[in-house]
Amino acid sequence: MKRPVIGITIGYSTQDREIFALRDDYVRAVEKAGGLPVVLAPGAPEDAPPLLDHLEGLLLTGGADVDPRLYGEAPHETVTRVIPERDAMEIALCRLALRRDMPLLAICRGHQVLNVATGGTLIQDLPSQWKGAVNHDPEGERWSPAHQVRILPGTRLREILGQETVEVNSFHHQAVREPGQGAIVSAYGEEDDIVEGIEIPDRRLAVGVQWHPEAFWDKDGRFQPLFEALVKACR
């Protein structure tokens, strides 16, 4: 059976802006699910159509903060490492993938990109802007549990994972505030009601999660069904 080609976005090294960087977990999770991963470096937004012509699916990955100006706000003092060319490219890829009904999985920053690309907004800094927020960026291993997430019934995320609550890892200080046009919330933080999942119901697959499911691909694989759903939707 032909393996669907999945484009995976990539960011820059935190030490050197002349070096691209991507955790191999994303690639391995796609491979394990039966997809053929292809890495997409930041480039010109007008390159999105020819790039997507060669893909069956898209995976938006984690990384730097999304520029608040893209959703009409001045940057909070904690917003750092904004990368305009990555924002522009990924938003172009995301919007075009949605228009083409190309299966899409969005993770952490990617989840936020999906929301901004559809006209939504973000909380720029959870510790200072969301009363009662738990620590969403604790110390620990990439696969260390951080908090519980409640998945809403009737959502695609609930269908894929088959659970009402899941224990997730967490590495972020921003989150979805207002969902974008056509997007619905699929999951909340159990303790603080932070949006942990969004999706667009009228697409083959357009799901975003705030945590990092790829970190478990070689551990207990608890979130591998997300990658399997992406690959399956591409066939």
Side-chain angles (χ1 to χ4, degrees):
M1 182 181 294
K2 180 178 179 290
R3 295 165 65 192
V5 181
I6 309 296
I8 304 176
T9 58
I10 187 172
Y12 291 93
S13 166
T14 55
Q15 285 78 37
D16 190 341
R17 276 290 301 275
E18 295 182 353
I19 297 175
F20 291 123
L22 177 72
R23 288 187 176 273
D24 68 345
D25 289 346
Y26 294 104
V27 173
R28 303 305 169 217
V30 168
E31 288 177 335
K32 188 175 182 180
L36 183 64
V38 173
V39 175
L40 306 175
E46 55 266 28
D47 290 339
L51 283 172
L52 291 188
D53 287 345
H54 295 282
L55 305 176
E56 278 84 52
L58 181 64
L59 174 58
L60 298 174
T61 62
D65 293 341
V66 178
D67 189 345
R69 296 176 185 87
L70 294 171
Y71 48 93
E73 296 183 11
H76 186 270
E77 62 183 9
T78 60
V79 174
T80 58
R81 293 189 62 244
V82 168
I83 304 171
E85 62 269 32
R86 185 178 182 191
D87 289 342
M89 182 64 171
E90 292 187 2
I91 286 175
L93 287 168
C94 184
R95 287 174 174 167
L96 185 56
L98 291 173
R99 285 200 295 271
R100 293 185 178 186
D101 196 15
M102 176 180 287
L104 164 67
L105 175 62
I107 292 172
C108 197
R109 166 196 156 85
H111 160 85
Q112 296 167 11
V113 167
L114 172 59
N115 197 56
V116 173
T118 54
T121 62
L122 304 179
I123 302 165
Q124 294 191 43
D125 184 59
L126 289 172
S128 62
Q129 295 183 326
W130 191 268
K131 185 177 180 180
V134 301
N135 185 359
H136 285 262
D137 191 17
E139 297 291 333
E141 301 289 353
R142 294 288 295 176
W143 54 88
S144 296
H147 61 82
Q148 293 278 340
V149 165
R150 180 176 75 258
I151 304 176
L152 303 185
T155 61
R156 190 69 183 277
L157 184 61
R158 180 75 166 266
E159 175 190 334
I160 292 169
L161 294 180
Q163 299 181 65
E164 180 179 353
T165 59
V166 291
E167 195 169 33
V168 305
N169 53 358
S170 188
F171 305 96
H172 65 106
H173 79 109
Q174 299 192 324
V176 168
R177 186 187 296 275
E178 293 295 332
Q181 185 175 2
I184 64 168
V185 175
S186 59
Y188 289 99
E190 184 74 10
E191 299 171 68
D192 56 13
D193 286 330
I194 295 296
V195 174
E196 292 281 342
I198 61 171
E199 57 190 58
I200 301 177
D202 63 353
R203 295 297 187 270
R204 278 192 288 165
L205 183 78
V207 169
V209 295
Q210 186 58 74
W211 67 93
H212 282 270
E214 77 284 354
F216 297 86
W217 78 273
D218 62 344
K219 303 300 185 249
D220 57 21
R222 70 180 73 176
F223 300 121
Q224 193 61 22
L226 284 166
F227 299 95
E228 293 167 356
L230 175 62
V231 171
K232 182 179 179 181
C234 295
R235 294 195 186 278

PDB file of all heavy atoms in Angstrom, residues 202-223:
ATOM      1  N   ASP A 202     -16.150  20.054   9.687  1.00  0.00           N
ATOM      2  CA  ASP A 202     -16.565  19.752   8.311  1.00  0.00           C
ATOM      3  C   ASP A 202     -15.398  19.427   7.390  1.00  0.00           C
ATOM      4  O   ASP A 202     -15.526  19.493   6.169  1.00  0.00           O
ATOM      5  CB  ASP A 202     -17.389  20.905   7.733  1.00  0.00           C
ATOM      6  CG  ASP A 202     -16.607  22.208   7.632  1.00  0.00           C
ATOM      7  OD1 ASP A 202     -15.474  22.262   8.135  1.00  0.00           O
ATOM      8  OD2 ASP A 202     -17.135  23.169   7.046  1.00  0.00           O
ATOM      9  N   ARG A 203     -14.255  19.063   7.944  1.00  0.00           N
ATOM     10  CA  ARG A 203     -13.104  18.651   7.159  1.00  0.00           C
ATOM     11  C   ARG A 203     -12.820  17.161   7.394  1.00  0.00           C
ATOM     12  O   ARG A 203     -13.236  16.595   8.392  1.00  0.00           O
ATOM     13  CB  ARG A 203     -11.866  19.476   7.524  1.00  0.00           C
ATOM     14  CG  ARG A 203     -11.972  20.948   7.180  1.00  0.00           C
ATOM     15  CD  ARG A 203     -12.105  21.139   5.674  1.00  0.00           C
ATOM     16  NE  ARG A 203     -12.049  22.534   5.277  1.00  0.00           N
ATOM     17  CZ  ARG A 203     -13.101  23.337   5.171  1.00  0.00           C
ATOM     18  NH1 ARG A 203     -14.306  22.875   5.470  1.00  0.00           N
ATOM     19  NH2 ARG A 203     -12.959  24.584   4.764  1.00  0.00           N
ATOM     20  N   ARG A 204     -12.090  16.551   6.450  1.00  0.00           N
ATOM     21  CA  ARG A 204     -11.739  15.136   6.615  1.00  0.00           C
ATOM     22  C   ARG A 204     -11.029  14.912   7.940  1.00  0.00           C
ATOM     23  O   ARG A 204     -11.321  13.980   8.676  1.00  0.00           O
ATOM     24  CB  ARG A 204     -10.840  14.679   5.464  1.00  0.00           C
ATOM     25  CG  ARG A 204     -11.573  14.310   4.195  1.00  0.00           C
ATOM     26  CD  ARG A 204     -10.634  13.605   3.219  1.00  0.00           C
ATOM     27  NE  ARG A 204      -9.672  14.526   2.629  1.00  0.00           N
ATOM     28  CZ  ARG A 204      -8.577  14.148   1.981  1.00  0.00           C
ATOM     29  NH1 ARG A 204      -8.282  12.867   1.870  1.00  0.00           N
ATOM     30  NH2 ARG A 204      -7.763  15.036   1.447  1.00  0.00           N
ATOM     31  N   LEU A 205     -10.054  15.767   8.228  1.00  0.00           N
ATOM     32  CA  LEU A 205      -9.403  15.776   9.542  1.00  0.00           C
ATOM     33  C   LEU A 205      -8.714  17.116   9.705  1.00  0.00           C
ATOM     34  O   LEU A 205      -7.839  17.472   8.920  1.00  0.00           O
ATOM     35  CB  LEU A 205      -8.366  14.654   9.674  1.00  0.00           C
ATOM     36  CG  LEU A 205      -7.701  14.584  11.057  1.00  0.00           C
ATOM     37  CD1 LEU A 205      -8.643  13.924  12.064  1.00  0.00           C
ATOM     38  CD2 LEU A 205      -6.385  13.825  11.010  1.00  0.00           C
ATOM     39  N   ALA A 206      -9.116  17.865  10.698  1.00  0.00           N
ATOM     40  CA  ALA A 206      -8.463  19.122  11.055  1.00  0.00           C
ATOM     41  C   ALA A 206      -8.533  19.240  12.569  1.00  0.00           C
ATOM     42  O   ALA A 206      -9.494  19.777  13.126  1.00  0.00           O
ATOM     43  CB  ALA A 206      -9.131  20.312  10.382  1.00  0.00           C
ATOM     44  N   VAL A 207      -7.512  18.695  13.231  1.00  0.00           N
ATOM     45  CA  VAL A 207      -7.500  18.569  14.688  1.00  0.00           C
ATOM     46  C   VAL A 207      -6.234  19.211  15.240  1.00  0.00           C
ATOM     47  O   VAL A 207      -5.138  18.997  14.714  1.00  0.00           O
ATOM     48  CB  VAL A 207      -7.555  17.080  15.101  1.00  0.00           C
ATOM     49  CG1 VAL A 207      -7.277  16.913  16.591  1.00  0.00           C
ATOM     50  CG2 VAL A 207      -8.907  16.482  14.751  1.00  0.00           C
ATOM     51  N   GLY A 208      -6.390  20.007  16.299  1.00  0.00           N
ATOM     52  CA  GLY A 208      -5.254  20.587  16.991  1.00  0.00           C
ATOM     53  C   GLY A 208      -5.269  20.206  18.455  1.00  0.00           C
ATOM     54  O   GLY A 208      -6.339  20.154  19.074  1.00  0.00           O
ATOM     55  N   VAL A 209      -4.087  19.923  19.009  1.00  0.00           N
ATOM     56  CA  VAL A 209      -3.955  19.651  20.444  1.00  0.00           C
ATOM     57  C   VAL A 209      -2.830  20.500  21.001  1.00  0.00           C
ATOM     58  O   VAL A 209      -1.829  20.752  20.330  1.00  0.00           O
ATOM     59  CB  VAL A 209      -3.704  18.158  20.735  1.00  0.00           C
ATOM     60  CG1 VAL A 209      -4.909  17.325  20.326  1.00  0.00           C
ATOM     61  CG2 VAL A 209      -2.441  17.644  20.061  1.00  0.00           C
ATOM     62  N   GLN A 210      -2.978  20.924  22.249  1.00  0.00           N
ATOM     63  CA  GLN A 210      -2.010  21.826  22.857  1.00  0.00           C
ATOM     64  C   GLN A 210      -0.803  21.089  23.434  1.00  0.00           C
ATOM     65  O   GLN A 210       0.255  21.680  23.623  1.00  0.00           O
ATOM     66  CB  GLN A 210      -2.694  22.665  23.940  1.00  0.00           C
ATOM     67  CG  GLN A 210      -1.842  23.745  24.563  1.00  0.00           C
ATOM     68  CD  GLN A 210      -1.312  24.732  23.553  1.00  0.00           C
ATOM     69  OE1 GLN A 210      -2.047  25.571  23.048  1.00  0.00           O
ATOM     70  NE2 GLN A 210      -0.026  24.660  23.231  1.00  0.00           N
ATOM     71  N   TRP A 211      -0.946  19.800  23.680  1.00  0.00           N
ATOM     72  CA  TRP A 211       0.176  19.040  24.245  1.00  0.00           C
ATOM     73  C   TRP A 211       1.028  18.421  23.128  1.00  0.00           C
ATOM     74  O   TRP A 211       0.851  18.737  21.947  1.00  0.00           O
ATOM     75  CB  TRP A 211      -0.336  17.994  25.225  1.00  0.00           C
ATOM     76  CG  TRP A 211      -1.153  16.881  24.640  1.00  0.00           C
ATOM     77  CD1 TRP A 211      -0.702  15.659  24.227  1.00  0.00           C
ATOM     78  CD2 TRP A 211      -2.576  16.848  24.424  1.00  0.00           C
ATOM     79  NE1 TRP A 211      -1.733  14.886  23.767  1.00  0.00           N
ATOM     80  CE2 TRP A 211      -2.903  15.587  23.885  1.00  0.00           C
ATOM     81  CE3 TRP A 211      -3.612  17.765  24.657  1.00  0.00           C
ATOM     82  CZ2 TRP A 211      -4.205  15.215  23.558  1.00  0.00           C
ATOM     83  CZ3 TRP A 211      -4.914  17.405  24.325  1.00  0.00           C
ATOM     84  CH2 TRP A 211      -5.211  16.152  23.784  1.00  0.00           C
ATOM     85  N   HIS A 212       1.968  17.553  23.509  1.00  0.00           N
ATOM     86  CA  HIS A 212       2.911  16.986  22.545  1.00  0.00           C
ATOM     87  C   HIS A 212       2.750  15.466  22.447  1.00  0.00           C
ATOM     88  O   HIS A 212       3.505  14.709  23.065  1.00  0.00           O
ATOM     89  CB  HIS A 212       4.348  17.348  22.925  1.00  0.00           C
ATOM     90  CG  HIS A 212       4.729  18.738  22.552  1.00  0.00           C
ATOM     91  ND1 HIS A 212       5.281  19.049  21.323  1.00  0.00           N
ATOM     92  CD2 HIS A 212       4.604  19.908  23.222  1.00  0.00           C
ATOM     93  CE1 HIS A 212       5.500  20.362  21.262  1.00  0.00           C
ATOM     94  NE2 HIS A 212       5.101  20.902  22.401  1.00  0.00           N
ATOM     95  N   PRO A 213       1.806  14.996  21.637  1.00  0.00           N
ATOM     96  CA  PRO A 213       1.576  13.545  21.529  1.00  0.00           C
ATOM     97  C   PRO A 213       2.730  12.786  20.914  1.00  0.00           C
ATOM     98  O   PRO A 213       2.907  11.590  21.177  1.00  0.00           O
ATOM     99  CB  PRO A 213       0.331  13.465  20.631  1.00  0.00           C
ATOM    100  CG  PRO A 213       0.340  14.733  19.834  1.00  0.00           C
ATOM    101  CD  PRO A 213       0.892  15.765  20.767  1.00  0.00           C
ATOM    102  N   GLU A 214       3.558  13.465  20.100  1.00  0.00           N
ATOM    103  CA  GLU A 214       4.663  12.785  19.428  1.00  0.00           C
ATOM    104  C   GLU A 214       5.702  12.245  20.404  1.00  0.00           C
ATOM    105  O   GLU A 214       6.429  11.293  20.099  1.00  0.00           O
ATOM    106  CB  GLU A 214       5.331  13.726  18.413  1.00  0.00           C
ATOM    107  CG  GLU A 214       6.253  14.772  18.976  1.00  0.00           C
ATOM    108  CD  GLU A 214       5.564  15.957  19.646  1.00  0.00           C
ATOM    109  OE1 GLU A 214       4.315  16.039  19.573  1.00  0.00           O
ATOM    110  OE2 GLU A 214       6.267  16.805  20.237  1.00  0.00           O
ATOM    111  N   ALA A 215       5.764  12.845  21.616  1.00  0.00           N
ATOM    112  CA  ALA A 215       6.781  12.444  22.594  1.00  0.00           C
ATOM    113  C   ALA A 215       6.556  11.035  23.130  1.00  0.00           C
ATOM    114  O   ALA A 215       7.448  10.466  23.776  1.00  0.00           O
ATOM    115  CB  ALA A 215       6.807  13.442  23.756  1.00  0.00           C
ATOM    116  N   PHE A 216       5.388  10.457  22.848  1.00  0.00           N
ATOM    117  CA  PHE A 216       5.051   9.141  23.397  1.00  0.00           C
ATOM    118  C   PHE A 216       5.172   8.021  22.359  1.00  0.00           C
ATOM    119  O   PHE A 216       4.841   6.882  22.654  1.00  0.00           O
ATOM    120  CB  PHE A 216       3.620   9.157  23.945  1.00  0.00           C
ATOM    121  CG  PHE A 216       3.421  10.112  25.092  1.00  0.00           C
ATOM    122  CD1 PHE A 216       3.115  11.452  24.862  1.00  0.00           C
ATOM    123  CD2 PHE A 216       3.541   9.689  26.405  1.00  0.00           C
ATOM    124  CE1 PHE A 216       2.941  12.344  25.914  1.00  0.00           C
ATOM    125  CE2 PHE A 216       3.366  10.563  27.459  1.00  0.00           C
ATOM    126  CZ  PHE A 216       3.067  11.894  27.215  1.00  0.00           C
ATOM    127  N   TRP A 217       5.650   8.336  21.161  1.00  0.00           N
ATOM    128  CA  TRP A 217       5.630   7.332  20.089  1.00  0.00           C
ATOM    129  C   TRP A 217       6.411   6.066  20.449  1.00  0.00           C
ATOM    130  O   TRP A 217       6.015   4.952  20.073  1.00  0.00           O
ATOM    131  CB  TRP A 217       6.176   7.934  18.784  1.00  0.00           C
ATOM    132  CG  TRP A 217       7.679   8.033  18.741  1.00  0.00           C
ATOM    133  CD1 TRP A 217       8.451   9.055  19.196  1.00  0.00           C
ATOM    134  CD2 TRP A 217       8.581   7.044  18.235  1.00  0.00           C
ATOM    135  NE1 TRP A 217       9.792   8.782  19.012  1.00  0.00           N
ATOM    136  CE2 TRP A 217       9.898   7.552  18.424  1.00  0.00           C
ATOM    137  CE3 TRP A 217       8.430   5.798  17.646  1.00  0.00           C
ATOM    138  CZ2 TRP A 217      11.035   6.836  18.051  1.00  0.00           C
ATOM    139  CZ3 TRP A 217       9.574   5.082  17.267  1.00  0.00           C
ATOM    140  CH2 TRP A 217      10.847   5.611  17.463  1.00  0.00           C
ATOM    141  N   ASP A 218       7.512   6.227  21.207  1.00  0.00           N
ATOM    142  CA  ASP A 218       8.321   5.067  21.590  1.00  0.00           C
ATOM    143  C   ASP A 218       8.205   4.765  23.084  1.00  0.00           C
ATOM    144  O   ASP A 218       9.016   4.010  23.633  1.00  0.00           O
ATOM    145  CB  ASP A 218       9.781   5.267  21.205  1.00  0.00           C
ATOM    146  CG  ASP A 218      10.426   6.459  21.927  1.00  0.00           C
ATOM    147  OD1 ASP A 218       9.687   7.303  22.481  1.00  0.00           O
ATOM    148  OD2 ASP A 218      11.667   6.543  21.925  1.00  0.00           O
ATOM    149  N   LYS A 219       7.217   5.363  23.735  1.00  0.00           N
ATOM    150  CA  LYS A 219       6.975   5.075  25.151  1.00  0.00           C
ATOM    151  C   LYS A 219       5.745   4.168  25.241  1.00  0.00           C
ATOM    152  O   LYS A 219       5.785   3.038  24.795  1.00  0.00           O
ATOM    153  CB  LYS A 219       6.769   6.377  25.926  1.00  0.00           C
ATOM    154  CG  LYS A 219       7.937   7.345  25.804  1.00  0.00           C
ATOM    155  CD  LYS A 219       9.223   6.740  26.338  1.00  0.00           C
ATOM    156  CE  LYS A 219      10.360   7.736  26.320  1.00  0.00           C
ATOM    157  NZ  LYS A 219      11.419   7.499  25.391  1.00  0.00           N
ATOM    158  N   ASP A 220       4.620   4.697  25.753  1.00  0.00           N
ATOM    159  CA  ASP A 220       3.420   3.872  25.831  1.00  0.00           C
ATOM    160  C   ASP A 220       2.512   4.040  24.614  1.00  0.00           C
ATOM    161  O   ASP A 220       1.510   3.334  24.487  1.00  0.00           O
ATOM    162  CB  ASP A 220       2.638   4.158  27.120  1.00  0.00           C
ATOM    163  CG  ASP A 220       2.250   5.629  27.257  1.00  0.00           C
ATOM    164  OD1 ASP A 220       2.205   6.348  26.239  1.00  0.00           O
ATOM    165  OD2 ASP A 220       1.983   6.058  28.390  1.00  0.00           O
ATOM    166  N   GLY A 221       2.860   4.996  23.716  1.00  0.00           N
ATOM    167  CA  GLY A 221       2.086   5.160  22.490  1.00  0.00           C
ATOM    168  C   GLY A 221       0.653   5.598  22.707  1.00  0.00           C
ATOM    169  O   GLY A 221      -0.191   5.423  21.822  1.00  0.00           O
ATOM    170  N   ARG A 222       0.371   6.208  23.848  1.00  0.00           N
ATOM    171  CA  ARG A 222      -1.017   6.521  24.196  1.00  0.00           C
ATOM    172  C   ARG A 222      -1.688   7.462  23.196  1.00  0.00           C
ATOM    173  O   ARG A 222      -2.918   7.442  23.055  1.00  0.00           O
ATOM    174  CB  ARG A 222      -1.081   7.113  25.600  1.00  0.00           C
ATOM    175  CG  ARG A 222      -0.483   8.512  25.717  1.00  0.00           C
ATOM    176  CD  ARG A 222      -0.568   9.068  27.134  1.00  0.00           C
ATOM    177  NE  ARG A 222       0.382   8.416  28.018  1.00  0.00           N
ATOM    178  CZ  ARG A 222       0.560   8.773  29.292  1.00  0.00           C
ATOM    179  NH1 ARG A 222      -0.147   9.755  29.812  1.00  0.00           N
ATOM    180  NH2 ARG A 222       1.467   8.155  30.033  1.00  0.00           N
ATOM    181  N   PHE A 223      -0.885   8.308  22.527  1.00  0.00           N
ATOM    182  CA  PHE A 223      -1.461   9.267  21.582  1.00  0.00           C
ATOM    183  C   PHE A 223      -1.143   8.930  20.129  1.00  0.00           C
ATOM    184  O   PHE A 223      -1.438   9.727  19.229  1.00  0.00           O
ATOM    185  CB  PHE A 223      -0.976  10.682  21.910  1.00  0.00           C
ATOM    186  CG  PHE A 223      -1.364  11.135  23.290  1.00  0.00           C
ATOM    187  CD1 PHE A 223      -0.399  11.493  24.220  1.00  0.00           C
ATOM    188  CD2 PHE A 223      -2.694  11.191  23.667  1.00  0.00           C
ATOM    189  CE1 PHE A 223      -0.748  11.916  25.493  1.00  0.00           C
ATOM    190  CE2 PHE A 223      -3.064  11.599  24.938  1.00  0.00           C
ATOM    191  CZ  PHE A 223      -2.088  11.973  25.858  1.00  0.00           C
TER     192      PHE A 223
END
